[in-house]
Amino acid sequence: MSTDGNGEIERHPDASARRGAQAGPGRLRKRSVVIAGHRTSVSLENAFWQALSRIADARKLSMNALIAEIDRDRPGNLSSALRVFVLREFESRPSPTRSTDRAGVTRRE
């Protein structure tokens, strides 16, 4: 990446291909979000951003609105709260290959 004579950023022709190759599910990605009118940045793995997006879509919320809801109830840092939220969201969904016994223990069938 370099600048042209007008101060504009010139991107290398292969830059988007390189970014795409680095966009695996475990790759960290930093995003800016607005919570209670304040802009902050959050770093999460791509898989978590994708999961949050699906959850927000299912609830007909913007990503910022969903993150603001999670932020209100968080005990620790925001990135951890978002990961735990996604984990709990997916764990709470019924699965055809899981069952729960009387003690509340989830077992694979």
Side-chain angles (χ1 to χ4, degrees):
M1 192 165 42
S2 61
T3 57
D4 65 11
N6 299 323
E8 295 292 319
I9 295 174
E10 293 179 331
R11 299 198 186 279
H12 188 277
D14 295 328
S16 59
R18 281 196 312 270
R19 281 192 305 274
Q22 298 173 353
R27 184 85 175 167
L28 274 177
R29 183 171 169 205
K30 186 179 267 191
R31 284 184 153 188
S32 292
V33 296
V34 178
I35 301 171
H38 299 284
R39 189 179 200 107
T40 189
S41 60
V42 180
S43 294
L44 288 174
E45 294 78 7
N46 282 329
F48 284 101
W49 285 119
Q50 292 165 357
L52 284 167
S53 178
R54 288 193 303 266
I55 294 165
D57 287 347
R59 294 182 179 194
K60 300 195 183 328
L61 294 172
S62 69
M63 183 80 82
N64 282 339
L66 177 63
I67 292 172
E69 281 184 14
I70 297 164
D71 180 62
R72 280 193 294 270
D73 298 328
R74 73 177 164 117
N77 73 58
L78 183 56
S79 293
S80 293
L82 294 171
R83 288 183 187 98
V84 170
F85 172 83
V86 168
L87 177 64
R88 287 184 177 157
E89 179 72 18
F90 285 100
E91 283 183 335
S92 70
R93 293 182 180 179
S95 170
T97 61
R98 289 189 325 199
S99 65
T100 305
D101 66 14
R102 288 184 186 187
V105 176
T106 302
R107 303 191 186 280
R108 291 253 174 222
E109 293 180 350

